[in-house]
Amino acid sequence: MREILDIQKQLLPDLVDTMKKRYTILHHIMVSGLVGRRTLALSVGATERVLRAEVDFLKEQGLIEVEASGMRISGAGRELLERLEPLVKDLFGLAELEERIRSHFGLKQVIIVPGDSDVSPHTKKELGRAGASVLRKLVGEDETIAVTGGSTMAEVAYHLTPATPMKGCWFVPARGGLGESVELQANTIASTMAKKAGGRYRLLHVPDHLGEEAYQSLMQDSHIAEIIAFIRGARIVVHGIGEAMVMARRRKVDPETTESLRRDGALAEAFGYYFDRDGNILHKMPTIGLRIEDIHSMDHVIGIAGGKSKGESIASVLKHGHEDVLVTDEAAAWEVVNRLLS
């Protein structure tokens, strides 16, 4: 089938473009569950007039069902998407991009989903689905899995489903609370993952940002110390990657440190560590949870982040050299390649 697709790209490029467009629309409908035409048009970047024609076609083919409240995928449509899955990477030209990034940074695996998370909520959902799939494949029995917070990690949690190896696993937060929306904190995401996967969880009820005196005091508490030891025994970590200045604002870093980070060229934040363009650590927040040495010794370090705006940040963390798997989107991947590999 791949040979046929290559021939179509050469002789019938318009046909391939139409396939991509209809695949994208159908996939958006599947991930959304039930979606209205206007919302779908905004998500796929099409006018309502153009979308109406495509929706009519998909309905005629029996691939979607149209109701008063919106559109949903049919059983035939879901089956078609499953059959197309092996060809999607080639259809969107992502397989070569995955290999280029994987080999450059020495990763075990790179997974790229179509789209740009900065502008498409659908793409962020797809990142979550892909991240959940990777985790299910890598996890063994009775593993301890550490997770960070953030909206992308929340999508990963949403897409987890009960699986035999995961039912005996522990899910733990990689660090304390961020002081933002409760649903995006690592504690919440760890508990959600455990419930969705049929596993167990432990929580860390301490603030994310601590002064040195508070940090030392908490570490003397036997209960806190026992949970920290449990978290640091994790063999898998699933984490997001943030833009340095954005995360400094979210974590209410003091102005002097923020200016120092800016002056030193901080581009990325992960695990409370700030990295420069070359992957060097510029600053560590005094937080309770995983340390960089814990992450370096883990079996699987899975980074999940997308959006064109995060391209440089993703490359910065990859250059630190301790990621195993990257799950990202097309826009971020091209930013990595165009800005940092060319």
Side-chain angles (χ1 to χ4, degrees), residues 91-312:
L91 187 65
F92 285 87
L94 301 181
E96 184 180 343
L97 191 58
E98 288 176 341
E99 177 55 25
R100 191 172 177 187
I101 293 173
R102 189 205 65 75
S103 61
H104 182 87
F105 291 105
L107 304 173
K108 294 176 182 175
Q109 186 179 17
V110 174
I111 295 155
I112 300 172
V113 303
D116 182 350
S117 298
D118 285 346
V119 298
S120 170
H122 161 81
T123 302
K124 182 167 282 191
K125 290 179 185 295
E126 188 60 12
L127 269 182
R129 189 179 76 91
S133 177
V134 167
L135 183 57
R136 279 194 297 269
K137 291 173 183 175
L138 292 179
V139 73
E141 293 185 4
D142 300 320
E143 295 267 21
T144 300
I145 303 156
V147 299
T148 64
S151 57
T152 303
M153 291 300 103
E155 288 293 348
V156 176
Y158 176 80
H159 284 92
L160 280 181
T161 54
T164 302
M166 302 184 83
K167 289 182 179 178
C169 290
W170 287 93
F171 291 83
V172 296
R175 55 194 300 178
L178 183 58
E180 59 177 357
S181 303
V182 172
E183 64 270 18
L184 300 183
Q185 290 183 16
N187 270 338
T188 304
I189 290 169
S191 64
T192 301
M193 284 185 170
K195 291 169 186 174
K196 296 280 282 187
R200 298 167 287 178
Y201 64 90
R202 296 191 68 177
L203 304 182
L204 181 60
H205 296 294
V206 297
D208 179 70
H209 191 187
L210 296 167
E212 185 62 30
E213 186 176 341
Y215 174 82
Q216 295 298 338
S217 176
L218 280 171
M219 289 302 289
Q220 298 303 313
D221 183 279
S222 59
H223 178 65
I224 295 292
E226 190 270 330
I227 294 176
I228 293 300
F230 190 83
I231 291 171
R232 289 176 178 172
R235 305 312 305 160
I236 298 176
V237 62
V238 188
H239 71 94
I241 297 170
E243 297 171 71
M245 293 300 104
V246 172
M247 297 308 296
R249 287 195 299 272
R250 282 175 59 187
R251 292 204 160 95
K252 297 180 174 60
V253 175
D254 64 86
E256 184 179 345
T257 303
T258 300
E259 181 54 36
S260 175
L261 288 170
R262 192 188 309 277
R263 187 173 58 249
D264 293 341
L267 286 180
E269 187 275 343
F271 321 108
Y273 293 82
Y274 289 81
F275 303 85
D276 67 10
R277 182 180 297 276
D278 297 319
N280 300 312
I281 296 172
L282 297 175
H283 179 72
K284 176 193 179 298
M285 299 294 292
T287 61
I288 290 182
L290 289 181
R291 303 160 300 184
I292 202 76
E293 55 264 37
D294 302 318
I295 294 154
H296 290 177
S297 65
M298 285 188 176
D299 295 335
H300 303 291
V301 180
I302 307 168
I304 307 176
K308 183 178 180 180
S309 63
K310 286 191 178 179
E312 283 191 318

